[in-house]
Amino acid sequence: MNLKTTLAGALVVSTSWASMAVAQTDLTMWYHGGGNEVESALINQIVSDFNATNADYNVNLESFPQGSYNDSIVAAALAGDLPDIIDVDGPVMPNWAWANYMQPLSIDETIIADFLPGTIGRWNGELYSVGLWDAAVSLYARQSTLDALGLRTPTLDNPWTGDEFMAALDAAKASDICEYAFDPGMAWTGEWYPYAFSPFLQSFGGDIVDRSTYKTAEGALNGDEALEFGAWWQSLFAGGYAPGTSQDPSDRDTGFIDGKYCFSWNGNWAAVATLDAGVDDLLFLPAPDFGKGSVIGAGSWQFGISATSEHAEGANAFIEFALQDKYLAAFSDGIGLIPSTMAAAAMTKNYAENGPLNVYFALSSEQALVRPVSPGYVVAAKVFEKALADIANGADVADTLDAAVDEINTDFERNGGYGH
Amino acid sequence: MAAITPDNHRLRLIVRYTILTLIALIFVFPLVFMVMSSFKPDLQLLRDTSSFRAFLPVGDLSLDNYRDAFTRAPVATFIFNSVFVTGLTVLLSLLFCSLAAFSFVFLNWTGREVLLSIVLATLIIPFETIAIPLLLLVSQLPWIGWEGLELGWLNTYRVQIIPWIADGLTIFLFVQFFKDLPRDLIEASRVEGASWWQIYRRVVMPLSGPVIATAAILKFLVMYNQYLWPLIVVQQETYRPVMVGLGYYFQLNPAWGEIMAYLTVITVPVLAFYLVLQRAFIASIASTGVKG
């Protein structure tokens, strides 16, 4: 091969590579999993696979610590510096969509036909976000505790009633098995309160806001059912069943494992660690039914597209690509959360038919209720958190809930009803 | 009046040192807890918090938390970013704020009293109140770099440095110190024909060691502990400082051992900086009554 041929060949090859590179459009993506090695590896794998198979777009990933991710998004939105693809916590999505941080997705919706309801984010009738997983809460208990206290094991079809639950707590309190009968997790402040505790309120028949209009909390958060819930909630602490708001965070992490608490209200993300800690007769019980059915929270992190993205087609293509069962299963195996589809669950070690956490898939599909789908939820959630903490600390139930309703309604009015 | 005998003098010393030791322990215990916890696995760390064992190197000790902390996040990058941003800001701040103070104290120009009052008034404005307007401003500012004219300072070192160079407190410290310098020195220098720049560089600054140390330490602490500003102006990991990096360890189940290891590591530059300047810092407190 002479010099001319070699140079000509090199020119052709380099031109081809260069034109391929030019043809690929760069997409930016922000993700909340900074610091989570497993999650980072998984999302990087999806990005890498997409970039390798898609000739038109190249995704550049930037990870953020979860605790500061939302602030970074809001700051970037103000500065006009949002990326193309973002991920968003399910209950926050309506606020970001309303604030025009996000645009609707235009993915093929047959892909998400079998997804768990909590993994799909809709606002104003349009699809804005889809998640690869959901999270669920259950009542942690030991079979040996139920046996010792002579309690029946509640099931998904036949959960404990409110009376049965309180009888279980009475039995636990009267025994010397544990220091506290119940650990609701008061040390976990923030979103844990509305996520974990509003389902109790909903089971009583109340709610954080009136979902028929989404314009007021009147009647939902201070009606008779809500007052009944409030009285029950206060009794947990006044009656010495549960540690209050001053709970030591370390007790929240290890109290159930150490036997300090007989029952613990906890998420599926803590299940593997509890099993690994040697609790070999661990049970994940459904939420008690206080009259309106057993309810648990739903909605976790989901993918969406920023309103300012000029490459929505590529961003939609990436999201569709990420929704493959193999990635849902990989995320579930990696970080322990519930995969969005049954097909993906069957591919996982924890949520497959005989997996140790299989019950969570059923809990999530049958009992999950998403938090109020409203831009005002971000404010209502904080108001609700404060109200529950105050009631736990002895505040008057009716006054506290009335004040919470006023605060939520004022926020609704200030924001013109958030477009509802 | 009772005479001071060797016995009660000794008793007073014992009481004094006992109280001082107790106060020192209160300040030292958190640091001891941090360092000891950094060698313990999470479960043991959490269990030890309910006893005095939390302050003792007992149980299953290892360097695993340090290894894992460096694996979880680019700690070296975060430390470099913080030290670089902090170091450069401190140097530039000392230069510009001392020059401003020199002008306020030694030069006669119209409006200096009013301007100094305005500068001092900025001390009462919390940064949080101007964070958003400042963000909007820096996101549109031009900059001429290696690649020509750019618009917007986000995701750079300069956006973490330049807005923090001049501040009312540092100017105030220099102004107060300069006012106490003998005016004869300045006047003698003027008579000798020295320029204002020569007086600043050859006369005033060499006498200002204590206030330089004080201003440097206070500025260092402010900059090294920056959280809100870098959080909103820096979205790329390559520019993140240590305090934003701390968030990497707060997952659903926080890695407490790694958090303690990370905190131990990032505390080292602060302690080193303070140890280098502590003598001058204490001298400054003694002479001016100014402290952080």
Side-chain angles (χ1 to χ4, degrees):
Chain A
M1 197 184 301
N2 61 29
L3 182 61
K4 277 186 180 175
T5 312
T6 307
L7 287 174
L11 184 65
V12 169
V13 170
S14 59
T15 306
S16 308
W17 277 104
S19 58
M20 272 183 70
V22 168
Q24 277 200 312
T25 303
D26 277 329
L27 299 174
T28 49
M29 175 181 177
W30 289 2
Y31 188 73
H32 76 276
N36 186 324
E37 293 169 56
V38 178
E39 204 168 341
S40 293
L42 289 164
I43 192 69
N44 273 308
Q45 184 63 53
I46 297 177
V47 168
S48 171
D49 290 352
F50 176 80
N51 290 343
T53 55
N54 190 297
D56 297 328
Y57 297 99
N58 184 69
V59 173
N60 297 302
L61 178 68
E62 195 66 57
S63 287
F64 293 71
Q66 181 174 334
S68 57
Y69 176 77
N70 285 3
D71 294 331
S72 296
I73 287 282
V74 172
L78 284 170
D81 194 38
L82 282 172
D84 295 293
I85 305 163
I86 59 175
D87 75 329
V88 54
D89 199 7
V92 174
M93 180 277 293
N95 186 277
W96 289 4
W98 169 78
N100 204 28
Y101 298 173
M102 298 176 70
Q103 60 177 289
L105 299 182
S106 51
I107 62 171
D108 175 4
E109 293 205 24
T110 60
I111 296 173
I112 57 170
D114 296 329
F115 272 46
L116 288 170
T119 63
I120 297 170
R122 291 188 191 277
W123 160 246
N124 261 354
E126 295 195 271
L127 177 69
Y128 274 90
S129 55
V130 183
L132 276 60
W133 65 81
D134 203 352
V137 175
S138 70
L139 189 67
Y140 283 35
R142 287 176 167 84
Q143 184 63 56
S144 53
T145 304
L146 297 189
D147 295 342
L149 299 176
L151 302 169
R152 78 172 176 90
T153 305
T155 63
L156 200 61
D157 295 330
N158 191 16
W160 278 339
T161 62
D163 288 341
E164 280 183 296
F165 179 57
M166 289 314 294
L169 297 194
D170 279 330
K173 188 182 169 190
S175 75
D176 57 357
I177 296 176
C178 39
E179 189 176 325
Y180 282 101
F182 180 44
D183 166 32
M186 300 301 282
W188 283 358
T189 53
E191 187 57 27
W192 172 250
Y193 274 52
Y195 171 67
F197 305 146
S198 67
F200 294 138
L201 168 64
Q202 287 146 3
S203 184
F204 271 92
D207 210 332
I208 297 177
V209 297
D210 179 354
R211 296 194 192 214
S212 64
T213 63
Y214 277 115
K215 288 182 175 174
T216 179
E218 190 70 41
L221 189 53
N222 61 354
D224 291 342
E225 294 86 357
L227 293 175
E228 199 184 338
F229 156 78
W232 167 78
W233 178 252
Q234 195 163 59
S235 75
L236 290 176
F237 310 97
Y241 297 105
T245 52
S246 59
Q247 181 188 28
D248 186 334
S250 63
D251 282 345
R252 172 56 178 164
D253 287 341
T254 62
F256 177 78
I257 294 169
D258 294 340
K260 190 169 186 175
Y261 309 125
C262 280
F263 302 101
S264 179
W265 190 235
N266 210 333
N268 63 314
W269 55 86
V272 173
T274 308
L275 287 166
D276 289 347
V279 185
D280 51 12
D281 61 343
L282 181 62
L283 299 172
F284 305 110
L285 307 180
D289 177 358
F290 290 98
K292 301 290 182 185
S294 290
V295 184
I296 57 170
S300 187
W301 289 90
Q302 301 165 356
F303 288 130
I305 302 175
S306 76
T308 52
S309 173
E310 294 172 356
H311 310 294
E313 187 186 345
N316 277 297
F318 173 79
I319 291 173
E320 280 189 359
F321 182 86
L323 297 178
Q324 295 177 62
D325 280 336
K326 65 177 180 180
Y327 295 130
L328 311 188
F331 257 102
S332 176
D333 281 341
I335 58 177
L337 293 166
I338 305 165
S340 299
T341 68
M342 195 171 278
M347 298 161 66
T348 67
K349 61 187 179 204
N350 289 322
Y351 297 94
E353 197 163 336
N354 296 316
L357 309 184
N358 174 261
V359 65
Y360 277 109
F361 195 84
L363 282 171
S364 200
S365 63
E366 293 182 29
Q367 297 189 340
L369 177 65
V370 292
R371 283 153 278 181
V373 187
S374 166
Y377 172 78
V378 292
V379 172
K382 288 184 169 57
V383 174
F384 181 75
E385 179 192 1
K386 183 177 181 305
L388 257 59
D390 288 348
I391 291 171
N393 288 327
D396 181 81
V397 173
D399 288 350
T400 305
L401 293 180
D402 280 341
V405 166
D406 288 345
E407 202 171 340
I408 291 170
N409 286 355
T410 300
D411 179 62
F412 272 119
E413 286 162 18
R414 278 182 184 158
N415 290 283
Y418 286 109
H420 285 294
Chain B
M1 183 189 287
I4 298 175
T5 66
D7 277 352
N8 65 21
H9 175 69
R10 195 171 179 177
L11 185 64
R12 283 184 187 182
L13 274 179
I14 290 171
V15 170
R16 183 181 300 168
Y17 277 99
T18 303
I19 293 171
L20 288 174
T21 304
L22 286 173
I23 293 171
L25 284 176
I26 290 170
F27 285 95
V28 167
F29 264 32
L31 289 174
V32 173
F33 172 78
M34 177 182 77
V35 176
M36 292 302 131
S37 299
S38 70
F39 297 111
K40 299 176 183 177
D42 279 1
L43 267 181
Q44 186 192 330
L45 184 163
L46 293 170
R47 284 175 178 149
D48 284 357
T49 53
S50 57
S51 73
F52 202 71
R53 290 169 61 87
F55 302 102
L56 299 174
V58 293
D60 182 14
L61 304 180
S62 75
L63 291 171
D64 289 355
N65 288 327
Y66 287 88
R67 183 199 62 206
D68 294 343
F70 274 81
T71 307
R72 185 185 293 275
V75 179
T77 302
F78 296 156
I79 291 177
F80 170 79
N81 290 341
S82 277
V83 170
F84 178 72
V85 166
T86 300
L88 205 53
T89 310
V90 168
L91 286 176
L92 292 171
S93 180
L94 292 176
L95 173 65
F96 284 97
C97 292
S98 63
L99 280 170
F102 183 88
S103 170
F104 280 126
V105 175
F106 297 119
L107 305 185
N108 279 317
W109 45 280
T110 308
R112 63 176 181 158
E113 295 295 334
V114 174
L115 193 60
L116 180 60
S117 299
I118 293 171
V119 168
L120 296 183
T122 63
L123 290 175
I124 63 170
I125 301 173
F127 173 72
E128 288 75 7
T129 61
I130 61 165
I132 299 302
L134 196 57
L135 166 68
L136 297 176
L137 178 70
V138 297
S139 67
Q140 299 299 326
L141 283 178
W143 182 265
I144 299 175
W146 299 114
E147 296 172 3
L149 184 67
E150 304 164 19
L151 204 60
W153 289 12
L154 302 182
N155 294 311
T156 59
Y157 285 123
R158 64 177 174 274
V159 75
Q160 300 181 70
I161 295 172
I162 294 174
W164 295 89
I165 291 173
D167 75 284
L169 178 62
T170 310
I171 292 172
F172 172 72
L173 290 176
F174 276 108
V175 165
Q176 289 303 101
F177 191 86
F178 289 168
K179 277 182 176 172
D180 289 341
L181 290 177
R183 303 292 292 194
D184 295 349
L185 266 178
I186 311 300
E187 284 162 16
S189 301
R190 291 295 289 167
V191 170
E192 293 292 329
S195 68
W196 285 117
W197 172 247
Q198 285 172 323
I199 293 171
Y200 167 80
R201 199 164 62 88
R202 300 266 172 82
V203 179
V204 173
M205 291 312 282
L207 292 171
S208 304
V211 73
I212 289 173
T214 303
I217 287 175
L218 295 179
K219 193 75 179 180
F220 185 96
L221 291 176
V222 167
M223 292 307 298
Y224 198 74
N225 290 325
Q226 283 278 6
Y227 177 74
L228 177 62
W229 183 242
L231 180 75
I232 62 178
V233 295
V234 171
Q235 284 94 33
Q236 291 176 11
E237 194 171 71
T238 45
Y239 294 108
R240 279 184 196 140
V242 290
M243 286 306 159
V244 178
L246 183 59
Y248 280 63
Y249 301 90
F250 286 92
Q251 303 295 319
L252 282 172
N253 293 312
W256 292 111
E258 290 177 41
I259 289 168
M260 294 303 162
Y262 181 76
L263 291 174
T264 303
V265 169
I266 68 171
T267 302
V268 170
V270 182
L271 285 177
F273 190 74
Y274 180 76
L275 288 174
V276 168
L277 295 180
Q278 69 167 335
R279 194 177 295 274
F281 183 63
I282 292 167
S284 172
I285 293 171
S287 62
T288 67
V290 174
K291 59 181 172 57

